[in-house]
DNA sequence: GGCAATTAGCACCTTTTGAGTGCGCTTTGG
DNA sequence: CCAAAGCGCACTCAAAAGGTGCTAATTGCC
């Protein structure tokens, strides 16, 4: 499916919340009081974001999470990679053999290389979308490289 | 998951095969003799592609499938839409309410609109990748609009 | 010191989705 | 008439995603 998981969605909302109050710690409870998210699952997500180095945690009674770095330096790609990994677009990116031993020079499926390029483009898109751009409502920051398509639709 | 399904992968391979022998019909059996794909599943996929108008079918003993239009006018987006639909990137693109009645002006989640823009970009990428570009090995056709990123990585 | 609030870690269950198959029907060429 | 092909539906099986239970470990505050 060409779709982000709910975990990623939860993570993004949490990060936006953290970005809003830059510096101050926010607990899972606090975030769940703001958005209607399942508390326990959000906790798992934030734990994963902590492992990925996107947020820092402080434990104890008045603990919580803070952003590990500026919203300008956290990208959608970072979040997706932390919560979903970076899987290939198709299993075809791993080698698939032709039957009958046709083409030996390129023993992999004919789609492989073009699909890889599409995946690279997709990740460029994710990497260029910063947390800051989600917070500010400004569509994209540092997207000049892709900006040529702006005029469509 | 940010990943294409195997059905889409199978469909792309089948379409590439059809594009190779433009005009001639190719049966499911023939395609499966070329690529190691499960016959029945591929049949389901081709049926869906037929419903979507991407291929035309002829029944009967010497039947099979042909491309419904030029490889230049079949895009990755067409194939994905036919086989996976066009789901939103997050459920967040459907309205999610803030708790406590905070912001009335924008009652939806703060991520919604930026995520929609990312999805639009993603689909532009898919729409600009043609079947022809998969066949010819040329990375992308009519991708001038997105070409500015070419130099990265 | 003790309590309450919080994060940390692991294991488990449930639901959803994807992949694949069974079976019978229809169509068509030889 | 038969064989080869597509058509349609329903069903099973496996994997992934979403969510929860339970028990620590940590820390602030009384």
């Amino acid at each position: 499916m060409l779709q982000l998981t709910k975990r990623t969605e939860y993570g993004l909302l949490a990060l936006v919340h953290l970005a809003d109050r830059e510096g101050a710690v926010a607990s899972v409870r606090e975030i769940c009081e703001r958005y209607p998210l399942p508390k326990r699952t959000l906790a798992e997500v934030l734990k994963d974001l902590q492992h990925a180095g996107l947020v820092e945690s402080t434990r104890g009674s008045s603990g919580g999470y803070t952003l590990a770095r500026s919203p300008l330096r956290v990208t959608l790609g970072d979040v997706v990679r932390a919560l979903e990994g970076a899987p290939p677009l198709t299993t075809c990116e791993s080698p698939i053999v032709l039957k009958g031993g046709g083409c030996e020079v390129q023993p992999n499926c004919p789609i492989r290389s073009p699909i890889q390029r599409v995946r690279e483009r997709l990740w460029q898109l994710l990497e260029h979308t910063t947390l800051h751009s989600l917070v500010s409502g400004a569509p994209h920051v540092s997207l000049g490289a892709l900006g040529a398509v702006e005029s469509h639709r």
Side-chain angles (χ1 to χ4, degrees), chain A:
Chain A
M1 275 283 259
L2 218 44
Q3 194 173 4
L4 299 176
T5 64
K6 287 193 178 174
R7 284 169 51 87
T8 299
E9 182 178 343
Y10 298 166
L12 287 173
L13 281 170
L15 289 172
V16 165
H17 185 80
L18 293 182
D20 274 345
R21 46 194 62 197
E22 190 170 0
V25 297
S27 67
V28 170
R29 180 188 50 74
E30 176 184 327
I31 299 174
C32 285
E33 281 169 357
R34 181 93 181 268
Y35 304 107
L37 309 180
K39 192 173 176 183
R40 289 293 310 284
T41 303
L42 181 60
E44 293 289 325
V45 167
L46 278 165
K47 193 182 53 180
D48 290 346
L49 291 178
Q50 194 266 328
H51 283 151
L54 296 184
V55 300
E56 287 170 355
S57 67
T58 59
R59 301 174 66 163
S61 152
S62 65
Y65 295 92
T66 55
L67 281 186
R69 46 185 202 261
S70 156
L72 280 168
R73 303 195 57 79
V74 177
T75 71
L76 225 193
D78 292 330
V79 180
V80 172
R81 208 177 306 109
L83 299 178
E84 310 187 17
L89 266 191
T90 64
T91 63
C92 167
E93 290 200 51
S94 325
I96 281 190
V97 276
L98 284 178
K99 273 189 179 175
C103 141
E104 287 292 324
V105 183
Q106 180 190 350
N108 298 320
C109 102
I111 299 185
R112 189 183 181 190
S113 145
I115 286 290
Q116 284 179 341
R117 292 180 196 249
V118 171
R119 178 172 52 79
E120 284 171 15
R121 293 289 178 99
L122 166 57
W123 279 93
Q124 282 173 13
L125 179 55
L126 298 182
E127 301 292 358
H128 282 104
T129 304
T130 67
L131 181 55
H132 175 261
S133 71
L134 295 181
V135 171
S136 68
H140 294 295
V141 164
S142 82
L143 247 183
L146 287 172
V149 225
E150 193 68 63
S151 54
H152 288 237
R153 300 205 59 213

